[in-house]
Amino acid sequence: MHRLTNQVRPYAWGARAAIPRLLGTEPDGTPQAELWLGAHHGAPSTAHCLDGSKSLPDLIARDPDRVLGPETAERFGARLPYLLKYLAAEAPLSLQVHPDAARARSGYEAEESAGIPVDAPHRNYRDPHHKPELLLALEPFDALCGFREPAATHADLVGLGSDLAVRLCEDLSHPDTHTALRAALTRLLSLPDVDRCRMIDEFVAEWVERDRPCAHAEIVADLAARYPGDPGAIAALLLNRLTLWPGQALFLPAGNLHAYLQGTAVEVMASSDNVLRAGLTGKHVDAPELLDVVDFSVLPIPYARPDFLDGRREFRPAAPEFALHEIGPGRITAHLPGNGPTVILVLRGDVELVAEVGEGVTLRRGESVFVQADSGPIKVEGHGHVIATTVGSY
């Protein structure tokens, strides 16, 4: 087992205190949004080994079959296929969608061929991988996720007289659900620059003045105040508004338009940083590319349901790259499978990890380890709350 040192991403929407509280450090007043645990090139973890410290990608490259296991190395190459994050949102994240595997690969290759630097602000695809993700709430967590019925949004807009509201009602009246939603989102993302701020301001002013109760009553005004002139504030009306309670999880496959609004959670995903944004951001928005990737289906909210196995809750969604395991909170005795590499993070308490091969280790709140595949199954004992990520189904 290798103890990890992990990097914090200081995005503007991050909370000031949640990650320092986890790590036992003093807040410095700056936003700390995500703690990354993994081998993604954007912010790789450092593994502390008997022969010194090295980046996790370097540890893997040294002996992929031993570190990842031959099955994982054969399926995914010499790379850790997942990325675990501790996410602390004080303000809304961008309204976004992730591409499927084929789109990620073709988009990456096209931008590479065009000579666009991988860190260019206008780059869409920073790696050739898809990014299905699972989010597990650690406290009440607010989100927008997936399209609701066009008729529901239409009903919220009826009676509004602003130019944009009237046009959106026309779009949403189309009898075909996909056509209605595509037309409405396309309209919002294609507002002419000369009229965009005026049209959005008129819509928001009328929306606030009417003050009619609905699930989205406050979110439009709040988002518009945070992101003036951003059509994402109005696009929120097209999506389901929900609150996850601690222990509830969402699985977001490719094409699901979503935005996280506020709260603390852990998130595990295929190891990728490919994000296409529709709004609620100062970052690059590529409307045509996004509209080609979005799934305009109206589907049930994609809650993820766990199985209860060996003292843990196991989330194993339809993503071969990862499974997420939650152990605790409370007095715990659990076993983790040893058929591949494992990343373990202690959220609370003190726990003892004992692998089938090698020495055990004691971890406290905020500490984490990387367990090589050749260590075998892992026993977790103690009192606390633990998150672990393993490779998905073989």
Side-chain angles (χ1 to χ4, degrees), residues 86-240:
Y86 183 93
L87 185 150
E90 191 170 271
L93 285 67
S94 59
L95 184 62
Q96 61 186 257
V97 71
H98 306 303
D100 63 19
R103 188 68 174 229
R105 185 168 53 253
S106 64
Y108 177 81
E109 291 172 353
E111 291 184 327
E112 286 287 283
S113 297
I116 302 173
V118 72
D119 59 351
H122 63 290
R123 176 107 182 203
N124 287 323
Y125 298 96
R126 302 186 184 280
D127 55 65
H129 306 293
H130 68 161
K131 191 187 175 188
E133 62 188 32
L134 184 142
L135 180 133
L136 174 67
L138 300 177
E139 62 178 23
F141 193 94
D142 296 328
L144 299 166
C145 178
F147 290 106
R148 57 182 184 144
E149 289 287 350
T153 306
H154 184 280
D156 287 341
L157 298 180
V158 167
L160 296 180
S162 68
D163 186 25
L164 184 53
V166 170
R167 296 186 186 186
L168 287 172
C169 276
E170 293 172 355
D171 296 332
L172 295 166
S173 296
H174 196 284
D176 179 73
T177 296
H178 287 72
T179 301
L181 292 169
R182 178 180 287 277
L185 186 60
T186 300
R187 181 180 301 284
L188 288 169
L189 299 186
S190 306
L191 294 174
D193 291 343
V194 67
D195 294 324
R196 184 179 64 250
C197 287
R198 174 189 61 81
M199 295 178 74
I200 291 173
D201 288 348
E202 289 176 355
F203 179 102
V204 173
E206 187 178 29
W207 177 267
V208 172
E209 182 179 352
R210 184 181 61 172
D211 193 27
R212 188 168 76 187
C214 73
H216 294 67
E218 297 179 359
I219 190 64
V220 172
D222 177 65
L223 293 175
R226 293 176 184 272
Y227 301 95
D230 192 319
I234 301 172
L237 288 168
L238 303 174
L239 305 180
N240 296 299

Side-chain angles (χ1 to χ4, degrees), residues 252-270:
L252 300 174
N256 184 297
L257 188 63
H258 63 279
Y260 300 146
L261 301 177
Q262 187 175 39
T264 304
V266 290
E267 192 179 23
V268 63
M269 61 201 66

Side-chain angles (χ1 to χ4, degrees), residues 5-23:
T5 299
N6 308 297
Q7 298 191 48
V8 175
R9 308 297 276 175
Y11 305 134
W13 47 263
R16 268 66 176 171
I19 290 178
R21 185 166 56 245
L22 172 72
L23 299 178

